[in-house]
Amino acid sequence: MLCLSVVTMTTEVGSETEVKKDSEQLGPDKAKDKPEEASETPENQKSKEASSEEAQDSSLPEPTSQSSPSSQKKQKASPESKGISRFLPPWLKKQKSYTLAEPKDEPKKKATGEEQVIEESESQTPEGVAQPRKSLEEAAENHHNAKADDKEKQSVSSAETPQLVKEDGKEMEVEKVAEKKEENEEEKEKRETKEVQTAEIKTDDIPQKSPKKIKTVQCKVMLLDGTEYSCDLEKRAKGQVLFDKVCEHLNLLEKDYFGLLFYETSEQKNWLDPSKEIKRQIRSLPWIFTFNVKFYPPDPSQLTEDITRYFLCLQLRQDIVSGRLPCSFVTHALLGSYTLQAELGDHDPEEHRRDYISEFQFAPNQTQEMEEKVAELHKTHRGLTPAQADSQFLENAKRLSMYGVDLHHAKDSEGVDIMLGVCANGLLIYKDRLRINRFAWPKILKISYKRSNFYIKVRPAELEQFESTIGFKLPNHRAAKRLWKVCVEHHTFFRLVSPEQPPKAKFLTLGSKFRYSGRTQAQTRQASNLIDRPAPYFERTSSKRVSRSLDGAPMGISDQSLRDFSATGGQAAGDKIIDTEAAGQANLKEGGREDGSPVKTPQLELTQDGKINSLRVDGENIYVRHSNLMLEDLDKTQDDLLKHQASISELKRNFMESTPEPRPNEWEKRRITPLSLQTQGRHASRAEGPCTGVSNADKSSHETLDIVEEKKQAEFGIEETVVVDETNKGKMQVATDAGETCKVEHLSKKDSSSLPSDSSSSSSSSESEDEEVGEYQPHHRAIEEVIREEQEEEEDMKRKEHEEKIQHVEATPEGSKLNVPVEHTQVTAEDLVQKNTVTVATEEKKLSEEVKQDLGQEKEEEQLKLNGDVSHVDIDVAPQLICCSEPPVVKTEMVTISDATQRTEISTKEIPIVQTETKTITYESSQLDGSAGGDAGMLVSAQTITSESVSTTTTTHITKMVKGGVSETRIEKRIVITGDADIDHDEALAQAIKEAKEQHPDMSVTRVVVHKETEIAEEDEE
Amino acid sequence: MAGLGGGPAAFGRCTHAVVRALPESLCRQALRRSAGPEVDFARAEREHQLYVGVLRGKLGLQVLELPADESLPDCVFVEDVAVVCEETALLTRPGAPSRRKEVEAMKRVLESLNLNIVEMVDENATLDGGDVLFTGREFFVGLSRRTNQRGAEILADTFKDYAVSTVPVHDSLHLKGFCSMAGPNLIAIGSSEAAQKALKTMQQMSDHRYDKLTVPDDAAANCMYLNIPSKGHVLLHRAPEEYPESAKVFEKLKDHMLIPIANTELEKVDGSLTCCAVLINKASEL
């Protein structure tokens, strides 16, 4: 049996995921407890320790079923000691260890999280400073808010200094969360004037709060005319709710062209996905949105209503003033003159004296000359109605080459800076201001991203035979994903008649399943044909304000380094919302930055937090070996990158040369890959092998858990059949054979690389690369291909060779063990086991040595052998080994989510991520160990192997037990994935599990426990 | 109306043309890609006068003729030193150093027309107007021996309203050595491999679908389209005596007023029809 426990932990994001696969069946109680277990500190080291402890526990001699309780205890213990700590930014934790003191119950957290928080913060009271009481209370309040709002961890720290508290009080989140709307509003008002008071009030309220009350959050939406719309939203509201409210407020019916933006930085804008919860998208960002045009209609004259055109005009004026939509001088003047005509009407010499025009802003750099020209042209528009003027404005604006082009910074395969522009017609490539290439939608077969890389696969040109894939490097994973999503949306909106259904969600589907869910242009046109209302009245008085609003808006802020910006951005936002004091903000800034103290606005803290964490992570882990992405994040020099690249390609070459391709992959051949894409298909194909083998072998229940390492299933399946009919054995063998041979193939094919990939399950999880993969095929294609592409991640795996190898070793021994008993049924289990262990040990040594020496290739051979042996054994013996009749595995999902409101539908592809919360999910097969209920058995051997990679720590425990003549091997893998927001932990986890499966094809996954701690919600599911 | 007011419909409108007389030094000193028969200066002059005559007399343009400068053997090819689009003129930095002084005279005359003038001062930039194809919707800039990326960037900065796409040019002096606009939406293109390849590039780069008019001879693909209010579509193309097959193709254009123009002499020094004039539309004198 295999017990695989994967622990994923994110440091920077603060998410921690633990996956456990146990052969034993665990009661629901256990599942509930799990969350606690997992509530370790986000800190890497701690978690590592903890996890190793746990792992050891569980690998103790007890029979499998018993081991888990013990581990439970352990795990319980750890949370007790760490309790709150997970809510603390790591730097804070170091300073105040006492915060760790409170034990927490997961369920309790859920239900009464608020109170708890309060308590906790109050317990800190002694520490309070000058205005201790209030500040603490506020802190408590913050706590509460933080939790309520996805537990942004910022708050705990706030107790430290009064200043901070103050700031917190101002912070938007706090305001948002007031329990009752009325109260909330009252409070807000008060707060703006007197914060301290407010804090008190809030504190008073806290005890009265009942968890059941619907929590509302106040949203601010910057409208196109520069005004601000605010409303209260249920905390868990989806984007659509807000969007609809805004459109209603605007009296806008043709709303499909529009969307809501939230800014991570001045440059990083994200579209709020209407179909997803807002909270999960913006994470810790303030609830401030910007209403914008999302899809620029290529022909605005086809819009039905003037009011729609009006908003489009407003958007374009913003675009022009901000420089996003470049125009010539003449065009600036012309468009400006239409703006004047629309807003002021005919030029009136009386009324429109000299300076009337200076109040408007028409261009980024407006000159006297331009204003004169505008005035001059304005006179020529006499008689145009505002609507006509708008139409004229649009007719001219739409011809601008950058009209509706959404630009994204990127680098081409040679590292040259370029811009990718997404527009109605396709994808445009710019270098400086020059268009150097263009890919119309019809030409694009597939859009995908992997980590920070963005790929398009294009149709072969006329005389070409093969499709080609073109890769671009985006600044980071999020940027790549953002671009990908924008592409998907634009393609769908402009090219399709109706939106595509999102790919069917499988539990562990890799990659994003994001699709555009709104109406397409065709649909919205159709719909707007049905609009039957008198033209709504609206006032046009915007351009002045537009210019003004731009000053303060996040986008007005000039580029700074990303991180800097996030700080300032937050402040700027805060500024807007809370008009009260600039002074306070200044304070804030100083306090936060200069003091060096952790005290900042919650937002600040968050970002800071992230920063610190990531830095720490960087220090601890070996990013260099990890991936380009990481390298880039670390600001490695280009040289480093190149070197790294070189080493990778060498690895790749090695493995490619050394391996005859068992199954030539057409898909691979087609690739023309600037970014060394060639290896990409590999992994996928390999993955397929074992999987198929498995499924063939055992179709019963094991498959239910996609998470599983299924090779063992074959055995199970066999067992079942065997019992019925011995002749089946042959069959079974075949099945297993298939699986095995697949594996072998892979091995031979991949040489060293194959090892890593096989064993990579655990380690690769760390990589989380898969997660970061998204794919979109404008034209439907074979699913297979999709899958393959998503798995293109071999490079990384290679890097992890070391670790993976080690793990692999482990895996093999197990396999042999298992097999052995089967083969020689009559041999005593003990003997067998012992033998096995011995071999294992030796093997291990060898391997590790090898690893050290980096003799990857040799290992392969060994492994091949091993595998081969194993497979034989398997075939013969498998049935018997597990022959305790096992009930078909039923997948049971026990989900414990600390915040009950989080979605519980786990049916979707990934394990749901709970943002900023601790969540533990346990999946286990219902199958009972044969020995589960029976004797304790004897521990034959136990080993622990730990390997680390950049962002992953994998601890593997192999326990071999003999119970009633049957030997059982349990592998428990604990994988800690740490990474910042750029890592999609779900996908990393999925990948880890998958690989674990592949790695131990002869075993089944019985239990997966995912424990996540997140500071900042992952938005990756969107 | 200024700016984009005209749109593609106004493509080819023009009121003024700047031309320059040819210096005698042209015969011997003009740059040429390959050695060949000597230029018959008298005949060259005659042909040029005919050409200017058509612009002035037949089409009614205000032709501003700059005097020849013997120190500038290539000065007759005014197109290379200025790109004028709407109210803006970009004075180029020709790829051939010997031609850079040609800009001065052009600058003066364009200033006299009250155009917004942008000068290409960047010493890393080179651009020949012959590499600039304006379709009415966008620019294509040939990256040739005479024009580099930086030059194209400056052009893009100058004409911000329009997309500027770059097209690698091989086997030709200029992009317009094998193509030109023969109508508002019509690209005349030569049949050579280089020409066809460039066309493909342009088609891929453009959001717009252009019609194409393929002529057998690359040189003949350089024609001159004008949209003259009283005459409609006007097309100056190479004479049947020079390129009979290509001329036949042009003759199929029923909506165009076709004016064959011989350019045998200047062709010897890589001159084409568009080379010899800068067309300016000052219709709306504000």
Side-chain angles (χ1 to χ4, degrees):
Chain A
M1 307 264 153
L2 168 74
C3 308
L4 173 88
S5 88
V6 182
V7 179
T8 311
M9 179 182 123
T10 313
T11 326
E12 188 172 20
V13 184
S15 91
E16 194 178 337
T17 310
E18 176 179 323
V19 179
K20 275 210 173 178
K21 300 178 191 175
D22 270 357
S23 56
E24 325 98 50
Q25 168 129 27
L26 296 177
D29 287 354
K30 165 83 184 192
K32 274 185 188 171
D33 286 345
K34 281 281 173 175
E36 293 184 1
E37 309 166 3
S39 63
E40 295 144 352
T41 64
E43 289 174 61
N44 245 356
Q45 291 175 337
K46 279 193 181 177
S47 69
K48 275 180 206 163
E49 291 170 19
S51 57
S52 63
E53 282 175 10
E54 271 184 52
Q56 274 175 350
D57 272 358
S58 55
S59 64
L60 285 182
E62 309 151 309
T64 41
S65 60
Q66 292 178 358
S67 69
S68 63
S70 73
S71 67
Q72 226 176 307
K73 282 179 198 166
K74 251 290 156 118
Q75 287 160 345
K76 251 186 189 168
S78 66
E80 280 179 7
S81 60
K82 287 158 192 169
I84 285 188
S85 64
R86 84 185 89 135
F87 299 109
L88 299 178
W91 44 264
L92 186 58
K93 263 182 249 159
K94 280 167 191 165
Q95 295 170 359
K96 308 166 115 195
S97 54
Y98 67 89
T99 45
L100 306 181
E102 281 222 15
K104 274 198 186 177
D105 249 1
E106 188 57 41
K108 195 183 171 190
K109 260 188 253 155
K110 238 202 273 176
T112 58
E114 304 167 6
E115 277 96 337
Q116 253 193 341
V117 180
I118 296 162
E119 287 172 14
E120 289 164 9
S121 56
E122 276 179 357
S123 70
Q124 298 169 356
T125 314
E127 284 219 351
V129 204
Q131 310 145 7
R133 182 65 194 168
K134 283 167 193 168
S135 57
L136 281 176
E137 282 171 349
E138 262 205 340
E141 175 62 17
N142 287 333
H143 261 290
H144 166 66
N145 287 333
K147 274 206 173 171
D149 281 354
D150 255 343
K151 301 182 183 173
E152 294 148 27
K153 300 185 181 177
Q154 64 226 31
S155 49
V156 174
S157 60
S158 64
E160 279 191 346
T161 58
Q163 208 184 13
L164 171 61
V165 174
K166 230 184 180 179
E167 293 309 330
D168 273 354
K170 284 187 227 165
E171 208 245 341
M172 194 169 166
E173 295 281 344
V174 177
E175 293 183 44
K176 290 183 240 156
V177 194
E179 270 61 79
K180 298 175 184 176
K181 278 190 184 176
E182 302 171 8
E183 282 183 6
N184 189 10
E185 279 167 22
E186 280 183 18
E187 284 175 7
K188 255 187 295 169
E189 290 173 12
K190 286 178 188 170
R191 220 178 253 154
E192 282 170 7
T193 48
K194 293 185 178 182
E195 292 170 30
V196 178
Q197 249 187 348
T198 335
E200 279 178 357
I201 292 172
K202 269 204 171 176
T203 320
D204 292 342
D205 290 343
I206 294 172
Q208 304 165 0
K209 292 172 191 169
S210 89
K212 285 184 180 177
K213 282 177 188 166
I214 296 175
K215 307 218 180 91
T216 59
V217 180
Q218 194 176 39
C219 291
K220 309 261 183 186
V221 180
M222 309 305 299
L223 302 179
L224 286 166
D225 63 1
T227 59
E228 189 180 292
Y229 168 77
S230 59
C231 64
D232 290 319
L233 276 189
E234 195 188 332
K235 226 183 57 187
R236 321 199 57 79
K238 293 189 170 175
Q240 189 71 46
V241 176
L242 178 58
F243 183 67
D244 286 344
K245 280 191 172 206
V246 173
C247 290
E248 191 183 347
H249 171 77
L250 294 173
N251 203 8
L252 176 65
L253 292 184
E254 293 176 283
K255 53 191 181 186
D256 298 305
Y257 299 95
F258 301 85
L260 292 174
L261 280 174
F262 59 96
Y263 285 87
E264 278 175 62
T265 72
S266 65
E267 290 223 321
Q268 295 192 340
K269 48 176 195 171
N270 294 277
W271 289 107
L272 189 68
D273 188 333
S275 64
K276 302 254 162 61
E277 281 180 24
I278 296 171
K279 196 177 69 174
R280 307 192 59 188
Q281 300 180 58
I282 62 173
R283 311 201 225 187
S284 61
L285 296 169
W287 290 58
I288 304 173
F289 304 92
T290 307
F291 179 81
N292 261 18
V293 173
K294 186 174 188 181
F295 303 112
Y296 290 74
D299 186 358
S301 66
Q302 288 198 30
L303 296 174
T304 299
E305 293 200 301
D306 286 340
I307 192 171
T308 316
R309 269 187 287 274
Y310 169 62
F311 288 123
L312 179 57
C313 281
L314 293 181
Q315 175 71 67
L316 289 166
R317 285 168 198 161
Q318 273 190 17
D319 292 347
I320 290 168
V321 169
S322 70
R324 280 195 299 270
L325 181 57
C327 309
S328 65
F329 173 90
V330 177
T331 304
H332 275 309
L334 180 67
L335 294 177
S337 67
Y338 283 122
T339 299
L340 285 190
Q341 182 69 23
E343 302 222 345
L344 302 178
D346 292 347
H347 178 79
D348 183 346
E350 295 283 307
E351 199 181 327
H352 300 147
R353 305 268 167 164
R354 284 208 76 193
D355 291 340
Y356 81 104
I357 235 172
S358 306
E359 297 169 8
F360 292 83
Q361 194 171 2
F362 307 109
N365 306 306
Q366 191 162 320
T367 60
Q368 180 79 25
E369 187 190 4
M370 183 178 293
E371 287 174 9
E372 285 167 9
K373 186 86 174 173
V374 170
E376 198 176 294
L377 290 169
H378 180 200
K379 291 174 193 159
T380 68
H381 301 323
R382 181 166 297 279
L384 286 187
T385 67
Q388 286 172 328
D390 278 348
S391 292
Q392 285 301 308
F393 179 95
L394 294 176
E395 282 308 297
N396 284 281
K398 77 173 187 188
R399 291 197 203 111
L400 293 169
S401 79
M402 299 307 284
Y403 172 84
V405 177
D406 187 24
L407 284 180
H408 299 252
H409 287 282
K411 289 181 193 299
D412 66 10
S413 55
E414 285 157 8
V416 177
D417 283 317
I418 56 171
M419 300 283 272
L420 302 182
V422 184
C423 66
N425 295 321
L427 188 62
L428 302 165
I429 319 293
Y430 295 92
K431 180 167 182 295
D432 296 306
R433 297 231 329 107
L434 299 175
R435 187 184 288 185
I436 56 172
N437 213 336
R438 171 180 170 276
F439 301 96
W441 293 128
K443 199 165 181 210
I444 298 177
L445 294 172
K446 184 161 61 185
I447 311 164
S448 60
Y449 70 95
K450 188 186 72 184
R451 289 179 289 142
S452 63
N453 294 325
F454 174 80
Y455 303 106
I456 56 173
K457 181 149 113 187
V458 299
R459 276 182 204 287
E462 268 176 44
L463 300 177
E464 292 168 7
Q465 216 172 348
F466 299 120
E467 297 153 5
S468 57
T469 296
I470 299 161
F472 304 95
K473 188 150 195 71
L474 277 283
N476 55 51
H477 166 236
R478 297 179 67 79
K481 180 161 192 168
R482 210 169 16 239
L483 170 59
W484 177 80
K485 284 168 78 171
V486 169
C487 283
V488 170
E489 291 178 328
H490 273 73
H491 173 264
T492 308
F493 185 81
F494 289 111
R495 290 284 305 174
L496 300 187
V497 176
S498 62
E500 222 180 327
Q501 287 303 310
K504 200 182 174 194
K506 288 182 197 164
F507 176 60
L508 278 178
T509 303
L510 300 176
S512 172
K513 63 174 197 289
F514 170 82
R515 292 294 182 264
Y516 174 65
S517 56
R519 286 195 286 211
T520 64
Q521 181 174 240
Q523 287 172 329
T524 194
R525 277 183 183 163
Q526 233 171 5
S528 43
N529 281 338
L530 304 177
I531 292 176
D532 182 23
R533 67 170 181 182
Y537 170 79
F538 57 94
E539 277 188 46
R540 303 165 205 255
T541 48
S542 61
S543 25
K544 294 183 200 175
R545 265 175 311 191
V546 167
S547 57
R548 225 181 282 144
S549 76
L550 281 176
D551 295 338
M555 51 193 165
I557 295 166
S558 62
D559 297 357
Q560 304 179 15
S561 84
L562 217 160
R563 281 166 185 166
D564 278 351
F565 177 76
S566 55
T568 38
Q571 285 186 347
D575 237 351
K576 290 207 122 182
I577 301 161
I578 307 143
D579 309 330
T580 35
E581 50 276 314
Q585 293 226 344
N587 267 345
L588 226 189
K589 244 185 187 169
E590 289 173 17
R593 287 191 177 166
E594 297 176 5
D595 292 355
S597 77
V599 184
K600 290 158 196 174
T601 47
Q603 294 168 6
L604 277 177
E605 280 179 37
L606 268 187
T607 48
Q608 278 283 0
D609 217 318
K611 212 198 276 184
I612 292 170
N613 270 337
S614 66
L615 284 179
R616 197 165 48 70
V617 173
D618 293 354
E620 285 180 5
N621 298 318
I622 315 155
Y623 265 119
V624 182
R625 285 168 53 209
H626 195 43
S627 67
N628 275 331
L629 213 201
M630 298 300 190
L631 281 174
E632 211 171 58
D633 288 346
L634 283 180
D635 295 325
K636 293 278 170 172
T637 64
Q638 189 66 22
D639 278 351
D640 288 346
L641 280 177
L642 290 177
K643 268 186 226 161
H644 185 63
Q645 194 70 41
S647 64
I648 294 170
S649 52
E650 177 147 356
L651 276 174
K652 212 181 302 165
R653 210 182 315 128
N654 282 342
F655 109 70
M656 292 185 74
E657 287 171 2
S658 57
T659 65
E661 279 241 22
R663 292 178 278 176
N665 188 343
E666 258 196 39
W667 168 85
E668 258 183 58
K669 279 189 281 177
R670 269 181 270 145
R671 309 201 137 235
I672 300 172
T673 55
L675 292 182
S676 68
L677 294 175
Q678 300 209 343
T679 40
Q680 291 187 347
R682 290 273 167 124
H683 178 47
S685 63
R686 179 183 42 73
E688 278 175 10
C691 284
T692 34
V694 172
S695 53
N696 287 341
D698 170 311
K699 290 188 181 171
S700 59
S701 41
H702 292 290
E703 290 184 10
T704 46
L705 293 188
D706 277 349
I707 328 164
V708 181
E709 300 200 357
E710 293 278 83
K711 219 172 190 177
K712 197 168 187 181
Q713 291 178 353
E715 292 175 343
F716 288 124
I718 297 169
E719 292 172 6
E720 292 174 6
T721 42
V722 172
V723 176
V724 181
D725 180 354
E726 285 195 358
T727 50
N728 274 351
K729 261 193 181 177
K731 247 191 187 176
M732 295 307 305
Q733 287 184 0
V734 176
T736 10
D737 253 346
E740 289 289 353
T741 41
C742 278
K743 204 179 181 183
V744 175
E745 260 187 12
H746 296 299
L747 286 176
S748 60
K749 172 181 166 186
K750 293 203 170 177
D751 278 358
S752 56
S753 64
S754 66
L755 295 179
S757 47
D758 275 354
S759 54
S760 58
S761 56
S762 48
S763 58
S764 67
S765 64
S766 63
E767 302 249 301
S768 69
E769 306 138 6
D770 280 344
E771 325 159 349
E772 305 180 350
V773 178
E775 199 197 65
Y776 176 70
Q777 292 175 306
H779 319 278
H780 303 270
R781 313 194 108 231
I783 295 172
E784 256 196 18
E785 217 177 294
V786 180
I787 294 169
R788 283 181 190 168
E789 289 228 347
E790 288 176 350
Q791 295 179 332
E792 314 167 336
E793 314 226 327
E794 290 230 344
E795 295 181 8
D796 296 8
M797 317 209 106
K798 290 183 182 176
R799 290 173 201 167
K800 298 188 175 173
E801 270 185 293
H802 298 295
E803 312 149 8
E804 293 173 320
K805 282 174 189 172
I806 295 173
Q807 292 177 358
H808 192 72
V809 176
E810 298 169 1
T812 25
E814 294 172 7
S816 57
K817 242 197 191 174
L818 288 173
N819 298 325
V820 176
V822 180
E823 256 187 335
H824 321 277
T825 342
Q826 299 180 345
V827 181
T828 61
E830 280 192 13
D831 290 349
L832 290 175
V833 177
Q834 286 177 352
K835 282 181 188 173
N836 284 322
T837 23
V838 176
T839 32
V840 175
T842 46
E843 291 286 354
E844 217 189 331
K845 282 179 189 172
K846 278 187 189 173
L847 283 173
S848 54
E849 284 176 9
E850 286 181 5
V851 174
K852 282 179 187 173
Q853 301 172 352
D854 261 356
L855 304 177
Q857 300 198 345
E858 292 183 6
K859 285 183 208 163
E860 302 170 339
E861 287 187 3
E862 274 195 16
Q863 295 224 348
L864 273 175
K865 275 188 198 168
L866 280 177
N867 283 335
D869 290 346
V870 175
S871 63
H872 286 301
V873 179
D874 269 345
I875 298 169
D876 294 344
V877 195
Q880 294 185 347
L881 170 56
I882 309 181
C883 61
C884 5
S885 65
E886 293 208 15
V889 183
V890 178
K891 173 166 96 178
T892 39
E893 291 179 354
M894 280 173 291
V895 185
T896 316
I897 302 176
S898 38
D899 183 344
T901 43
Q902 296 287 0
R903 65 162 180 185
T904 43
E905 351 98 46
I906 306 185
S907 54
T908 49
K909 60 159 184 181
E910 296 150 350
I911 297 156
I913 303 175
V914 180
Q915 308 167 335
T916 65
E917 306 214 345
T918 312
K919 182 166 83 179
T920 303
I921 305 170
T922 308
Y923 305 88
E924 46 190 320
S925 60
S926 66
Q927 93 195 50
L928 287 175
D929 264 348
S931 54
D935 43 340
M938 272 182 63
L939 175 68
V940 179
S941 71
Q943 38 178 188
T944 305
I945 302 170
T946 309
S947 62
E948 277 187 53
S949 74
V950 183
S951 59
T952 319
T953 307
T954 306
T955 312
T956 308
H957 290 278
I958 304 177
T959 320
K960 305 190 181 168
M961 314 248 334
V962 181
K963 294 182 220 167
V966 179
S967 85
E968 171 186 286
T969 307
R970 230 166 63 101
I971 302 180
E972 189 168 320
K973 276 197 182 159
R974 173 174 290 259
I975 302 166
V976 181
I977 303 173
T978 40
D980 61 3
D982 280 348
I983 294 182
D984 184 335
H985 292 268
D986 283 341
E987 288 179 358
L989 177 60
Q991 177 66 12
I993 296 170
K994 186 168 185 191
E995 278 164 359
K997 263 201 273 181
E998 289 163 11
Q999 186 183 348
H1000 308 289
D1002 45 359
M1003 306 186 85
S1004 66
V1005 175
T1006 52
R1007 193 146 175 270
V1008 178
V1009 178
V1010 181
H1011 180 79
K1012 272 202 170 185
E1013 256 191 43
T1014 331
E1015 277 184 24
I1016 302 169
E1018 278 285 1
E1019 76 155 7
D1020 279 289
E1021 304 168 336
E1022 303 155 38
Chain B
M1 205 84 359
L4 296 167
F11 179 68
R13 289 266 169 82
C14 89
T15 55
H16 294 66
V18 178
V19 299
R20 193 163 192 176
L22 31 125
E24 289 185 40
S25 57
L26 175 139
C27 301
R28 295 183 176 275
Q29 295 167 36
L31 301 169
R32 49 202 297 173
R33 291 169 68 219
S34 54
E38 195 169 319
V39 175
D40 177 342
F41 183 73
R43 188 171 175 194
E45 237 178 0
R46 248 193 337 273
E47 286 176 351
H48 191 254
Q49 280 162 8
L50 201 66
Y51 171 85
V52 173
V54 167
L55 295 179
R56 182 184 283 135
K58 205 159 189 172
L59 302 179
L61 302 183
Q62 293 191 44
V63 175
L64 308 170
E65 184 159 9
L66 299 172
D69 184 333
E70 288 300 328
S71 68
L72 301 170
D74 292 296
C75 67
V76 66
F77 304 125
V78 288
E79 176 188 52
D80 289 328
V81 298
V83 178
V84 179
C85 179
E86 287 144 14
E87 312 258 327
T88 304
L90 172 65
L91 291 168
T92 70
R93 189 166 178 277
S98 65
R99 299 192 57 189
R100 304 233 164 106
K101 287 205 164 187
E102 295 176 26
V103 177
E104 292 166 8
M106 179 61 75
K107 182 180 176 185
R108 283 193 295 273
V109 69
L110 293 181
E111 277 170 350
S112 74
L113 286 171
N114 276 325
L115 294 173
N116 307 314
I117 292 183
V118 178
E119 291 184 75
M120 193 177 282
V121 288
D122 189 328
E123 295 198 346
N124 296 316
T126 62
L127 181 86
D128 274 13
D131 277 318
V132 179
L133 178 67
F134 178 65
T135 69
R137 300 170 189 273
E138 63 195 309
F139 284 95
F140 292 105
V141 178
L143 296 180
S144 65
R145 280 194 219 153
R146 297 280 179 86
T147 299
N148 64 19
Q149 180 93 11
R150 185 70 193 122
E153 281 168 24
I154 291 172
L155 181 115
D157 282 334
T158 306
F159 303 104
K160 289 200 175 87
D161 294 348
Y162 297 99
V164 177
S165 306
T166 53
V167 184
V169 171
H170 306 287
D171 302 327
S172 172
L173 178 65
H174 286 140
L175 175 66
K176 282 197 279 190
F178 49 65
C179 69
S180 64
M181 295 306 290
N185 192 33
L186 182 62
I187 297 179
I189 186 77
S191 299
S192 74
E193 198 179 317
Q196 291 298 316
K197 195 175 171 190
L199 178 68
K200 284 246 166 56
T201 304
M202 291 191 281
Q203 285 171 332
Q204 172 168 347
M205 298 278 233
S206 176
D207 292 326
H208 185 71
R209 291 186 154 224
Y210 296 99
D211 299 324
K212 64 171 178 179
L213 180 72
T214 308
V215 296
D217 310 289
D218 276 8
N222 182 294
C223 55
M224 223 168 133
Y225 170 79
L226 299 94
N227 183 350
I228 305 298
S230 57
K231 315 210 182 299
H233 302 298
V234 177
L235 191 66
L236 278 62
H237 66 89
R238 300 294 291 272
E241 300 80 47
E242 300 174 291
Y243 296 105
E245 294 305 315
S246 294
K248 280 182 198 163
V249 176
F250 285 117
E251 282 157 13
K252 289 177 185 161
L253 294 173
K254 297 301 177 199
D255 294 337
H256 287 58
M257 171 183 180
L258 298 171
I259 305 176
I261 303 265
N263 193 33
T264 55
E265 296 311 307
L266 288 183
E267 186 179 7
K268 293 174 185 170
V269 286
D270 306 321
S272 62
L273 288 182
T274 59
C275 266
C276 299
V278 171
L279 301 180
I280 297 158
N281 186 25
K282 286 291 289 181
S284 57
E285 294 275 353
L286 285 171

